[in-house]
Structure formats: C-alpha cells, structure tokens
Amino acid sequence: MAVLDIVKYGDPILRKVCNPVSDFSNLDQLIYDMFDTMYEAEGIGLAANQVGQDMNLFIIDIAHTEEAVEPCVYINGKIISSKGESPFEEGCLSIPEVTFEIMRPEFIHFKYQSIDGEWHEKEIGGLLARAIQHEIDHLTGKMIVDRVNDVARLPFKKQLKTLAKESKQRLNNLA
Ligand code: ZN
C-alpha cells in the first residue's frame, strides 16, 4: 500500500469526463492506495482522477460520522434522480484550505457497481448523498469552484491562481 500524490486544482485530468471501468480484475491495488491516500489527507471521499487515474471510480468513508456507513468503493456510478435542496460547507482534497457553501439535492437515487462488478441501486440521503455528488462531479470534470458564483470565489482567487500555477509547473517537470 502507498500514499499517492493528490492531483491539485489546475491539472487537466480534473476536467475530464472519466472513462467507465470495464475490467474489474485489477483494481485492488489502486483501491488500497486510494484509501491510504484519503486517510493520510483526512478526507471522506476521493475520486480516481484525483490520483491521476482516468477511471470512473471513487471511494467514500464516513464510518466515523453519525451516519456510520461502511467504507465503500463506487464504480461507474450514475445519479438517476434527485430531490430536495440544501446548503453545506464543502472542501476538496484537490483544493486545499478552500471551502464553499454549495447547494445540492438532499436525496439521490443512485446506481453503481461494486468491486465485484455487481450493480446496486439505492435511495441515499444525508452526508453520503452529499459526498457521492461531490465525487460524481469530479468524475465528470466538475469541481466545487464551478458550483459557486464569482463573489464566493473572490476571497480564494489568489489561492486558486497559485494552485493552478503549481499544477502547471508539476506537469512541465513530468514532461
Ligand atoms: Zn473533491
């Protein structure tokens, strides 16, 4: 197991619509590493493109919260429908030290595959629904900065610019 580098704001892989997973035979190592990485960063969710993998896969662990849902891997997830709306302060491991109040539906009807390839369909609410929507955003190239207006973004303008610059430098160094 290993802690992976978390891709930061400004890296183009965070703007990609990720490829569906079709081969379920070789995911274990990546998933272990993603959990290690998420725990090290003290996050509750992590999408594959946040560790540089173009795959429709994310993990969530909110076992330590009131909802106490077991840690889970969600593959090829689709939000079928949603209802309600509520605000919640969200952060993101790819945008350190930045939080925004984001409006999202409270309940979702969600369909996904587990690591064995089985399909599941569930009605989900609360923090889990919130986290799933955040991760689904990642896998479709969206981030929390896109869900707020210019006024909300203004206090973080400099931070975002610095992050984008650092991502660009990192990519240049890899090239
Ligand atoms: Zn995020």
Side-chain angles (χ1 to χ4, degrees):
M1 294 199 263
V3 173
L4 307 169
D5 283 336
I6 296 177
V7 170
K8 300 294 188 323
Y9 177 81
D11 191 304
I13 198 160
L14 294 174
R15 294 309 192 178
K16 275 210 66 178
V17 176
C18 291
N19 285 315
V21 174
S22 52
D23 180 5
F24 287 74
S25 63
N26 243 330
L27 299 173
D28 291 7
Q29 188 64 51
L30 172 66
I31 286 163
Y32 286 134
D33 290 348
M34 281 177 67
F35 273 104
D36 274 358
T37 307
M38 182 179 75
Y39 293 141
E40 169 88 8
E42 294 177 8
I44 61 167
L46 187 68
N49 56 343
Q50 289 183 279
V51 292
Q53 298 294 320
D54 181 358
M55 296 165 78
N56 193 322
L57 179 161
F58 64 90
I59 59 170
I60 288 175
D61 185 353
I62 54 165
H64 57 291
T65 70
E66 263 175 29
E67 287 180 32
V69 181
E70 281 194 29
C72 197
V73 181
Y74 302 87
I75 302 169
N76 298 332
K78 276 189 186 72
I79 296 167
I80 309 293
S81 62
S82 58
K83 62 178 183 227
E85 201 180 40
S86 69
F88 190 82
E89 195 80 15
E90 290 184 32
C92 179
L93 296 180
S94 292
I95 319 177
E97 287 155 48
V98 172
T99 60
F100 292 115
E101 189 177 80
I102 313 265
M103 292 295 286
R104 292 192 195 270
E106 283 182 271
F107 300 95
I108 54 170
H109 188 105
F110 188 59
K111 200 177 152 185
Y112 67 96
Q113 281 171 288
S114 44
I115 32 178
D116 53 9
E118 284 288 310
W119 281 99
H120 306 264
E121 227 178 299
K122 284 178 185 166
E123 295 287 341
I124 300 169
L127 181 60
L128 184 58
R130 171 66 58 167
I132 286 173
Q133 292 177 80
H134 180 111
E135 301 311 330
I136 287 285
D137 268 2
H138 273 303
L139 296 174
T140 50
K142 285 191 212 77
M143 300 182 82
I144 51 175
V145 285
D146 310 325
R147 296 222 171 254
V148 293
N149 61 27
D150 289 347
V151 177
R153 266 195 302 266
L154 202 58
F156 300 110
K157 209 176 159 186
K158 210 173 159 190
Q159 253 163 298
L160 293 170
K161 217 175 155 183
T162 307
L163 278 171
K165 207 172 142 191
E166 285 167 0
S167 287
K168 209 175 162 187
Q169 271 165 2
R170 184 177 158 266
L171 288 169
N172 284 340
N173 292 341
L174 292 176

